[in-house]
Amino acid sequence: MYTPSLEKLSSELSRLPGIGPKTALRLSYFILRSPKDYVTALSEALVDVKNKVKLCEKCYSYTEQVLCRICLDPNRDNNLLCIVENPSDIPQIDSSGAFKGRYHVLHGVISPMEGISPRDLKIEPLFKRVQASKGTEDQINEVVLALDADLEGDTTALYIAKTLKTYDINVTRIAHGIPIGGDIDYIDHRTLGRALENRVQI
Ligand SMILES: [Zn+2]
């Protein structure tokens, strides 16, 4: 039996990505049957995440302090900066163990189709950050663009590279190609084309 409160909870939950009306209702009943302690902890966690999490003043990743954990880490290479689309990309790249530099989060990519221009992203702060480092011992010498291999990723990479090259620094982009264990027979033409463009000496 639905009640106004159950209906309200279901309708809010169904706005979450991947949650349809049926799942939303099932979750609502689960919450209703749960001990009050759990429901209080859940509602506090929801409010806390919104109130406490903010953007790092340096790299624009998420933090609950002024600067994030990575910006505060003294054991990272200040001369190397990796550009990512979202904060969630950072742990992905970090867990590869192949990157020990700093990060900068754009919070999206340029998309004329969706009306997203460079001004809607953290691109200007990136240019300022690179410029401000010039001549200091923490000078950024290389910017690595770790963006998706799609139209928006390509557009954004080109836009950033064009400006950064005028600052006389090395701009690179992560290679795209055949996944480890991948079979050439099953790779699409565009991926194979990109893999050939990005071929390396062995
Ligand atoms: Zn940071």
Side-chain angles (χ1 to χ4, degrees):
M1 191 60 167
Y2 304 165
T3 75
S5 295
L6 267 170
E7 267 180 39
K8 169 104 175 86
L9 181 58
S10 285
S11 110
E12 296 301 338
L13 289 172
S14 67
R15 291 169 61 183
L16 294 169
I19 307 288
K22 269 190 177 174
T23 307
L25 195 60
R26 196 165 54 79
L27 290 172
S28 301
Y29 281 121
F30 174 81
I31 290 167
L32 178 63
R33 285 192 305 266
S34 297
K36 199 165 184 181
D37 284 356
Y38 169 70
V39 180
T40 306
L42 176 65
S43 58
E44 276 174 9
L46 287 171
V47 175
D48 274 359
V49 84
K50 201 62 200 165
N51 286 344
K52 292 184 180 169
V53 179
K54 52 191 177 182
L55 298 184
C56 169
E57 288 189 3
K58 203 167 192 180
C59 74
Y60 298 95
S61 182
Y62 293 134
T63 181
E64 297 192 13
Q65 318 291 328
V66 177
L67 295 176
C68 73
R69 188 178 48 81
I70 289 180
C71 285
L72 289 171
D73 184 350
N75 299 317
R76 284 187 169 259
D77 184 353
N78 286 322
N79 312 122
L80 194 57
L81 188 68
C82 180
I83 314 299
V84 294
E85 184 178 335
N86 294 305
S88 55
D89 298 331
I90 294 177
Q92 283 285 98
I93 293 174
D94 241 35
S95 62
S96 75
F99 184 78
K100 294 286 178 223
R102 306 277 179 191
Y103 290 93
H104 187 95
V105 186
L106 299 177
H107 287 273
V109 277
I110 300 169
S111 172
M113 293 274 281
E114 290 175 40
I116 302 168
S117 77
R119 262 176 299 160
D120 302 312
L121 308 169
K122 303 293 183 196
I123 290 183
E124 201 50 47
L126 163 68
F127 295 158
K128 285 206 177 104
R129 184 177 175 187
V130 173
Q131 256 182 335
S133 78
K134 272 207 142 185
T136 70
E137 64 177 60
D138 297 333
Q139 176 165 308
I140 295 162
N141 296 324
E142 182 180 350
V143 166
V144 185
L145 297 160
L147 302 171
D148 290 346
D150 55 16
L151 184 64
E152 289 82 7
D154 290 352
T155 308
T156 311
L158 280 174
Y159 180 85
I160 291 173
K162 213 174 112 192
T163 303
L164 287 183
K165 277 180 181 164
T166 65
Y167 299 170
D168 202 26
I169 60 162
N170 198 11
V171 184
T172 55
R173 191 171 180 196
I174 54 165
H176 300 106
I178 302 166
I180 303 289
D183 188 330
I184 286 183
D185 287 348
Y186 297 101
I187 305 288
D188 67 278
H189 291 142
R190 280 192 64 211
T191 304
L192 205 50
R194 192 61 80 87
L196 279 162
E197 281 168 23
N198 295 332
R199 67 188 183 277
V200 291
Q201 192 92 42
I202 55 166

